[in-house]
Amino acid sequence: MSIEKQPLNPTSNRRTFLSRLWLGLGLVALVQFVGGTLAFLVSGSGKKSTHEPLFIEVGPVDNFALGSVTLIRQGELYLNRLEDGGFLALSRKCTHLGCAIAWDEEQKLFACPCHASTFDNSGRVLKTPASRPLDQHPLTIENGQVNIDIETRNRRQSFKPEQLTYALKKG
Ligand code: FES
């Protein structure tokens, strides 16, 4: 009994190898796409921060005068105390394309150096192209100390008074 040997065809082998390689790469891309889509959907459309909260103590309530705006460099945010005593922590990131805004004490507004958006002291848009208010950081007041979560930024569609945090009055 004789066994017939098939002649080796290097072109055919290369084609088979390449088509398997492309199939493998295609599968990897598909798995990554499906995984990324699922992660996006599970995280609630990607709007929520995925970071763990990290509260830092920024000082006693009385350190912040009514109507003051204080830059907290560690968190790249501003701590605002409105005239009624309410506290609000606002991200420094412009909601247009993310440039760092700056407080203009004379005009009493936040100004973005990139495309000239401006915001009032509660973060509301005064001048476009930014289309939504500055993001807000969670804030607590415990034992007279102001604490800010520097890792979490919450998107807002508008400013609401319930976003303010007040110190409990003594007595
Ligand atoms: S990044 Fe602020 S206005 Fe464009």
Side-chain angles (χ1 to χ4, degrees):
M1 193 165 100
S2 72
I3 299 173
E4 262 186 56
K5 282 195 171 177
Q6 295 280 324
L8 286 175
N9 183 345
T11 309
S12 161
N13 284 346
R14 200 176 308 128
R15 254 191 232 131
T16 306
F17 171 75
L18 284 175
S19 62
R20 285 187 181 153
L21 179 68
W22 283 116
L23 182 66
L25 290 173
L27 282 173
V28 169
L30 180 67
V31 166
Q32 284 186 336
F33 173 76
V34 170
T37 304
L38 285 175
F40 179 79
L41 292 173
V42 167
S43 71
S45 75
K47 285 183 181 171
K48 284 187 180 166
S49 166
T50 55
H51 299 289
E52 291 292 315
L54 177 62
F55 280 88
I56 60 163
E57 200 176 276
V58 295
V61 167
D62 294 340
N63 275 11
F64 305 99
L66 298 181
S68 66
V69 176
T70 307
L71 175 62
I72 309 292
R73 284 200 185 278
Q74 189 179 349
E76 285 300 303
L77 57 89
Y78 282 98
L79 175 60
N80 299 359
R81 189 168 192 195
L82 304 190
E83 290 296 342
D84 73 348
F87 283 91
L88 190 62
L90 298 176
S91 168
R92 274 189 91 185
K93 278 192 169 189
C94 176
T95 53
H96 178 225
L97 293 176
C99 291
I101 54 161
W103 176 246
D104 182 330
E105 183 61 38
E106 213 166 276
Q107 297 190 69
K108 301 283 182 203
L109 52 76
F110 292 105
C112 179
C114 293
H115 312 100
S117 285
T118 57
F119 307 83
D120 71 9
N121 66 344
S122 62
R124 283 180 289 216
V125 177
L126 296 172
K127 191 169 151 234
T128 58
S131 59
R132 61 181 179 80
L134 296 171
D135 292 344
Q136 181 190 7
H137 287 265
L139 181 155
T140 63
I141 298 174
E142 288 163 26
N143 302 321
Q145 295 287 330
V146 182
N147 307 288
I148 302 173
D149 177 357
I150 60 172
E151 285 293 332
T152 306
R153 282 189 292 128
N154 295 324
R155 281 174 175 241
R156 304 181 298 163
Q157 293 310 317
S158 60
F159 166 70
K160 295 180 180 135
E162 53 266 31
Q163 292 164 358
L164 296 170
T165 303
Y166 294 87
L168 290 176
K169 290 213 167 81
K170 291 175 193 163

